[in-house]
Amino acid sequence: MIEALGAFVPVAANTAFTQWRDEDDPLRKFFYQVVDQTDWKTAQEGNTTQGMYACASDGTLFGHTFEYDLETVLGVLRDATKEAAKHAAKKLDLRGAKPEPAPPEGTLVVSVYTRIDPLPEGASKDNAFVGRDHLWILHEEVDALRKGQFPKTLAMRLARFHLWDNTRGEPDAWTEEQVKKAAFGANGVLAGHATFTIGGTFSLAASAGKRSEDGRSLPEAGYEGKIEGEITFGKEGVTSFTLLATGEAWGEGTYTPGAPAGRFPLKVAFVLPAADDPTRGVPPQGVSDGLDEYLGR
Amino acid sequence: MRRIALVLLLAAAAWAEEASLADRVKAVLPRPDEERWLSIPWRRDLLSAREEAEKAGKPLFLWIMDGDPLGCT
């Protein structure tokens, strides 16, 4: 597949910033020009354009699939390669397209990984994946940590948008009312306070009754446990950030069916991304609900 | 002498605790086999990728998901 993709410009994108752009956004119009050449509205449940599409730079569709098995995707790529060789793409002007949300200047970007570990006996293999996300820590919040303070805005962002089970899909963000406890603190470790430990306990709980994607009434859900870690500062800023949330979760979300039965061990790890990490620019999942909502403004 | 021994004991305990946290974090991070898909040079921005494809005379391959494919499972 890697070889087949060499003939293409491969793009990985979120429907939040393609399908759900403003109606007058030129990039949305281009995107719909592509997907409306398929049967996306009837081919899959829900109002989603999730899928894989091979097209020319002018939006002419060469092939698509809503199935993710390797042979189907390779077939789409093979056919599209042949069609593309016969097509002369027209030039387009998409000026005016709104850029994706970007973090405010000075924001510390942290990679976030989630696992159900150990996997309970009898749990489906859908629970064996690693969830991926990013956490944005604002410049003023980094400054507060350096003074041994844990800002409430950061505590709420951590609790509402990152202490969740995203191993099977997009999780539901916790509301402020569902954050029963987010008692986090930072303490200096060494003389001069170059390193601070971070710790605390949390409790998140949602009542039963929310509807799932397929119309089921969801049971109650929650996650409770502790966080532990440390942040180290150098002359240039943060040189190290390690945080681990451990605890028990229960229930599932609107788009995350198939959770293990009862309570299960859920871990969330936070580390600095490598400088060459190609995913470090991906906005946090929580930004899809609105940048101000995510930042707590 | 007892004070030195106590300091050394506390330092050793602190070091062990730190190693333990690092190991526990590492157990959550993706394994190499879970990152192979990242060897594909995915572009994240459809707008600039379309322009790149137009200039290079190449077609586009779009992987679209609810949630970012590069920031999701």
Side-chain angles (χ1 to χ4, degrees), chain A residues 62-112:
Chain A
F62 298 136
H64 73 285
T65 179
F66 303 124
E67 307 293 331
Y68 297 110
D69 65 282
L70 181 60
E71 284 310 312
T72 302
V73 176
L74 283 175
V76 168
L77 290 173
R78 275 194 293 267
D79 293 343
T81 302
K82 291 176 193 167
E83 292 300 312
K86 296 184 281 187
H87 180 77
K90 296 175 195 162
K91 289 195 186 302
L92 298 181
D93 182 354
L94 299 186
R95 271 179 293 181
K98 199 173 163 186
E100 263 190 23
E105 191 160 338
T107 295
L108 180 69
V109 176
V110 178
S111 294
V112 188

Side-chain angles (χ1 to χ4, degrees), chain A residues 267-292:
Chain A
K267 295 172 184 168
V268 189
F270 301 77
V271 295
L272 293 183
D276 59 352
D277 183 340
T279 72
R280 63 182 298 144
V282 175
Q285 171 71 23
V287 170
S288 301
D289 292 336
L291 182 59
D292 287 346

Side-chain angles (χ1 to χ4, degrees), chain B:
Chain B
M1 192 67 172
R2 275 188 217 161
R3 195 173 291 174
I4 293 171
L6 180 62
V7 168
L8 287 172
L9 188 64
L10 287 172
W15 177 83
E17 184 63 30
E18 187 178 332
S20 178
L21 174 64
D23 285 344
R24 283 183 284 139
V25 164
K26 193 176 174 186
V28 181
L29 302 187
R31 299 182 303 268
D33 64 290
E34 292 175 312
E35 301 262 81
R36 283 178 59 194
W37 58 285
L38 285 175
S39 62
I40 295 168
W42 297 104
R43 278 52 158 190
R44 286 204 44 256
D45 178 47
L46 177 56
L47 185 67
S48 57
R50 194 214 67 80
E51 289 171 5
E52 179 189 342
E54 187 175 277
K55 284 179 188 160
K58 281 184 166 185
L60 289 156
F61 181 75
L62 310 182
W63 176 21
I64 307 296
M65 272 182 62
D66 292 336
D68 198 299
L70 302 185
C72 207
T73 55

Side-chain angles (χ1 to χ4, degrees), chain A:
Chain A
M1 174 141 167
I2 294 172
E3 189 181 327
L5 277 173
F8 295 77
V9 175
V11 184
N14 188 343
T15 51
F17 306 121
T18 48
Q19 177 179 358
W20 300 112
R21 285 177 164 260
D22 292 340
E23 280 195 21
D24 59 355
D25 190 298
L27 191 62
R28 174 189 161 116
K29 290 177 184 173
F30 170 79
F31 180 73
Y32 271 91
Q33 181 191 338
V34 174
V35 301
D36 281 346
Q37 295 173 69
T38 74
D39 54 350
W40 69 271
K41 287 180 185 171
T42 54
Q44 48 190 356
E45 287 183 20
N47 189 17
T48 177
T49 55
Q50 285 193 122
M52 293 183 167
Y53 308 85
C55 66
S57 57
D58 61 8
T60 303
L61 185 74
F62 298 136
H64 73 285
T65 179
F66 303 124
E67 307 293 331
Y68 297 110
D69 65 282
L70 181 60
E71 284 310 312
T72 302
V73 176
L74 283 175
V76 168
L77 290 173
R78 275 194 293 267
D79 293 343
T81 302
K82 291 176 193 167
E83 292 300 312
K86 296 184 281 187
H87 180 77
K90 296 175 195 162
K91 289 195 186 302
L92 298 181
D93 182 354
L94 299 186
R95 271 179 293 181
K98 199 173 163 186
E100 263 190 23
E105 191 160 338
T107 295
L108 180 69
V109 176
V110 178
S111 294
V112 188
Y113 301 99
T114 309
R115 275 200 204 271
I116 296 174
D117 178 47
L119 199 63
E121 199 173 319
S124 80
K125 61 183 170 77
D126 289 343
N127 291 287
F129 297 114
V130 60
R132 301 165 191 263
D133 203 350
H134 293 91
L135 162 68
W136 286 352
I137 303 179
L138 300 176
H139 179 71
E140 56 268 29
E141 293 167 338
V142 175
D143 285 346
L145 288 170
R146 192 165 198 159
K147 294 172 188 165
Q149 301 159 3
F150 202 108
K152 190 180 175 189
T153 50
L154 178 58
M156 285 302 285
R157 188 174 319 128
L158 200 62
R160 290 190 61 200
F161 298 106
H162 294 287
L163 298 181
W164 59 15
D165 178 9
N166 64 344
T167 58
R168 294 175 310 284
E170 288 188 291
D172 299 326
W174 305 103
T175 64
E176 289 190 13
E177 293 71 33
Q178 291 167 344
V179 178
K180 306 303 181 188
K181 183 181 183 185
F184 306 142
N187 295 291
V189 172
L190 302 174
H193 296 321
T195 296
F196 292 80
T197 59
I198 301 169
T201 55
F202 60 88
S203 176
L204 310 155
S207 306
K210 194 166 183 180
R211 289 285 165 189
S212 71
E213 185 182 32
D214 56 4
R216 290 173 296 117
S217 179
L218 294 173
E220 59 181 36
Y223 184 27
E224 56 188 29
K226 66 175 184 179
I227 63 167
E228 54 184 316
E230 58 183 40
I231 180 170
T232 300
F233 295 89
K235 285 180 186 173
E236 301 297 319
V238 176
T239 57
S240 174
F241 185 93
T242 305
L243 189 65
L244 179 67
T246 52
E248 287 189 329
W250 62 95
E252 54 197 30
T254 310
Y255 305 109
T256 57
R263 292 193 169 218
F264 52 91
L266 188 67
K267 295 172 184 168
V268 189
F270 301 77
V271 295
L272 293 183
D276 59 352
D277 183 340
T279 72
R280 63 182 298 144
V282 175
Q285 171 71 23
V287 170
S288 301
D289 292 336
L291 182 59
D292 287 346
E293 180 79 15
Y294 176 74
L295 295 179
R297 289 177 174 164

